[in-house]
Amino acid sequence: MKKSVFAIGALSLALGAALLPATATAQNVAIVNGKAVPKARVDALLEQVKRQADASGRALPPDIERLARDQIVLNEIYTQEAERRGLAATPEYRRQMELVRQNVLIQALFQDFEKKNPVTDAEIQAEYDKFKAQAGSEKEYRARHILVEKEDEAKRLIAQIKGGASFEELAKKNSKDPGSAAKGGDLDWAEASTYVPEFSQAMVKLNKGQVTEAPVKSQFGYHVIKLEDVREAQFPPLDDVKPQIQQRLQQQKMIDFREGLRKAARTDYKFEQ
């Protein structure tokens, strides 16, 4: 009986010992010259690459994990050779490592700040309400125009419109504005500030359906303008602009955080304003 118990215990120990290398190997991607290359390096590289891809909108190749493993193992091979040659002890290496150390810490600092100071829904709502209040007094105009090079040509077109000619058809045949000519001169809805001053000043004086009595000169040429309609400025729903507001507020928080650190630091260095 004792011998059987001893045999089972010995077998268990043997199996446990046999399993240890497999467990240790699972934590590594390779052994290079007797030194283990931990899988954590691959995971860190993949996380960095995926974060950069998300920020840029680029798609990752399907074999990205293999490419990451290849790179990490190659890095270990090259690093070992550099250390064998004593390059880790050179002043240049130490200078560069100090810069790397600072960059890593700075990145960690900013990431920690963003994590602990997220933009709240209340802040987004307040910013949205502020923008909406500012836009409340604005008006949007829907206008058409015909752009020509010469004043006499613009006067001729105005006379034709007064005689009953279709503004839209004249715009299609005569306007030099490629963006609106094909649409009968239609400029869609826009605030007056969208246009050059000469154009907007003439446009806002028109009544709905009215055409300018005289050509309007701007840096682009001569305009014949027709005002189709006027309305209060249309403000987009919160859900449509929430990501942009959140990003802008987060950027502003980061700017304030950096500026606060700069001002609080005791230094004899003078920053240019």
Side-chain angles (χ1 to χ4, degrees):
M1 181 68 177
K2 291 181 180 179
K3 184 175 181 181
S4 297
V5 172
F6 176 79
I8 293 173
L11 180 59
S12 298
L13 290 173
L15 287 172
L19 289 172
L20 282 176
T23 304
T25 302
Q27 298 173 358
N28 304 315
V29 292
I31 304 295
V32 177
N33 298 322
K35 184 177 180 180
V37 181
K39 183 178 179 295
R41 292 186 196 172
V42 178
D43 296 337
L45 178 59
L46 282 171
E47 182 180 350
Q48 179 183 7
V49 171
K50 290 177 180 177
R51 187 164 56 245
Q52 292 172 349
D54 290 342
S56 64
R58 294 197 307 268
L60 292 172
D63 57 345
I64 183 61
E65 292 191 12
R66 179 189 62 79
L67 293 172
R69 289 194 301 271
D70 289 353
Q71 188 60 58
I72 289 299
V73 175
L74 283 171
N75 286 350
E76 180 62 33
I77 293 171
Y78 301 150
T79 299
Q80 288 187 20
E81 179 60 18
E83 291 175 339
R84 187 186 69 78
R85 299 187 183 196
L87 298 179
T90 62
E92 177 62 21
Y93 170 79
R94 288 196 291 269
R95 282 194 297 268
Q96 291 191 34
M97 282 303 296
E98 176 58 22
L99 292 176
V100 171
R101 184 187 72 85
Q102 287 187 350
N103 287 334
V104 171
L105 280 174
I106 291 169
Q107 185 179 19
L109 171 68
F110 293 157
Q111 289 176 346
D112 180 70
F113 174 80
E114 286 189 349
K115 181 179 180 181
K116 294 178 180 177
N117 298 272
V119 176
T120 65
D121 287 342
E123 290 172 329
I124 293 174
Q125 183 68 56
E127 191 75 358
Y128 175 81
D129 291 342
K130 183 177 72 174
F131 287 148
K132 191 173 182 179
Q134 292 172 349
S137 59
E138 295 289 336
K139 292 184 180 298
E140 290 182 332
Y141 299 80
R142 183 153 199 168
R144 295 179 185 270
H145 83 138
I146 305 172
L147 176 65
V148 293
E149 295 179 358
K150 298 180 180 180
E151 185 178 11
D152 289 344
E153 187 178 1
K155 289 180 177 178
R156 177 176 57 80
L157 291 168
I158 292 174
Q160 291 179 19
I161 294 168
K162 286 184 176 180
S166 167
F167 190 102
E168 291 84 346
E169 291 303 318
L170 289 177
K172 291 177 182 179
K173 295 176 181 177
N174 298 276
S175 182
K176 306 300 181 184
D177 178 10
S180 67
K183 298 182 290 184
D186 187 13
L187 295 170
D188 208 341
W189 290 101
E191 296 176 3
S193 57
T194 303
Y195 305 110
V196 293
E198 302 89 346
F199 189 102
S200 62
Q201 288 167 11
M203 178 184 67
V204 298
K205 294 177 182 178
L206 297 173
N207 295 319
K208 287 191 284 186
Q210 188 178 4
V211 177
T212 46
E213 292 286 335
V216 178
K217 187 178 185 302
S218 77
Q219 66 196 73
F220 303 106
Y222 291 88
H223 306 263
V224 179
I225 306 170
K226 178 182 180 181
L227 180 62
E228 294 284 1
D229 204 354
V230 184
R231 71 182 183 187
E232 296 299 322
Q234 303 295 298
F235 206 73
L238 175 58
D239 288 343
D240 290 355
V241 294
K242 186 174 182 178
Q244 295 92 321
I245 295 176
Q246 183 177 23
Q247 182 181 30
R248 199 185 77 81
L249 289 177
Q250 190 66 66
Q251 289 173 344
Q252 188 58 53
K253 283 191 176 190
M254 182 60 68
I255 290 172
D256 294 342
F257 175 61
R258 294 185 182 192
E259 185 64 13
L261 291 176
R262 185 181 72 83
K263 290 181 177 179
R266 295 189 299 274
T267 175
D268 60 351
Y269 183 79
K270 302 298 181 183
F271 290 96
E272 292 186 10
Q273 300 299 324

